[in-house]
Amino acid sequence: MQKGIQDLILRMVHNSLRPIKSIAEEVGKPYSTLMRELDPEDRGAKLGVEMLLPLMRACDSTLPLRFLAEGMGHRVVSVRDIEPDKPTFHEELLDTYQALTAYHRAMLEGRSVEEVAKRREVLIRQLKEDFAFYTTRKEQEKA
């Protein structure tokens, strides 16, 4: 893997809310082995590409996936079903405003890339919920 993604994976693990020992256990590696494989300066042990998905799951992060997609000129989109979670359109729009504010605040405060990326994904999901509510309402108006 190229150096940029190696550093990104190391940051993802360090920025995870879970202890690294717990992550190592979940991916089936001894703590010391995982740390050696994550160390970009250790030439004797390298993280295999087959470990990327288990690490992303253990860290609850799509940061490396987004990095790779953006490097290819794409972006990652969740395939989970999108349903509005508020009873009124106005309340749905207010959720989006709060998500946008949190996203901008995270950038202005200099939060980690992972934190800003998570807030970006929340904002995108909120926008999708707005659109789902709007399209449902328009379809009901036609009927």
Side-chain angles (χ1 to χ4, degrees):
M1 281 185 256
Q2 66 182 10
K3 184 121 172 135
I5 194 159
Q6 287 175 324
D7 292 337
L8 186 105
I9 293 168
L10 179 61
R11 262 189 316 179
M12 173 187 73
V13 171
H14 281 294
N15 290 338
S16 174
L17 298 177
R18 295 180 61 190
I20 298 174
K21 287 185 179 183
S22 171
I23 293 168
E25 185 177 312
E26 184 172 327
V27 299
K29 291 204 177 264
Y31 170 79
S32 59
T33 301
L34 180 61
M35 291 311 295
R36 283 194 66 212
E37 290 178 350
L38 290 171
D39 183 356
E41 304 303 318
D42 189 334
R43 304 247 185 249
K46 290 296 167 208
L47 187 68
V49 71
E50 71 280 355
M51 287 304 304
L52 185 56
L53 188 56
L55 272 174
M56 289 169 48
R57 285 182 176 143
C59 295
D60 190 30
S61 173
T62 58
L63 189 60
L65 182 60
R66 290 194 309 270
F67 174 84
L68 293 171
E70 288 172 7
M72 297 294 295
H74 298 276
R75 71 182 272 277
V76 175
V77 178
S78 174
V79 295
R80 295 181 181 127
D81 291 331
I82 303 293
E83 294 288 331
D85 62 352
K86 297 294 183 234
T88 69
F89 188 48
H90 182 75
E91 288 174 288
E92 198 63 62
L93 294 174
L94 287 175
D95 261 6
T96 304
Y97 176 74
Q98 290 171 348
L100 177 62
T101 302
Y103 172 66
H104 285 160
R105 185 178 301 121
M107 287 191 289
L108 290 170
E109 292 173 354
R111 300 285 176 105
S112 71
V113 171
E114 179 68 10
E115 176 70 23
V116 173
K118 281 184 179 183
R119 291 182 187 209
R120 179 183 70 175
E121 293 307 312
V122 168
L123 174 58
I124 290 169
R125 181 169 179 85
Q126 286 303 137
L127 290 166
K128 289 178 180 181
E129 288 177 10
D130 292 353
F131 188 72
F133 204 118
Y134 180 77
T135 56
T136 300
R137 190 170 77 173
K138 284 295 190 183
E139 288 170 7
Q140 290 171 347
E141 287 175 3
K142 288 181 184 177

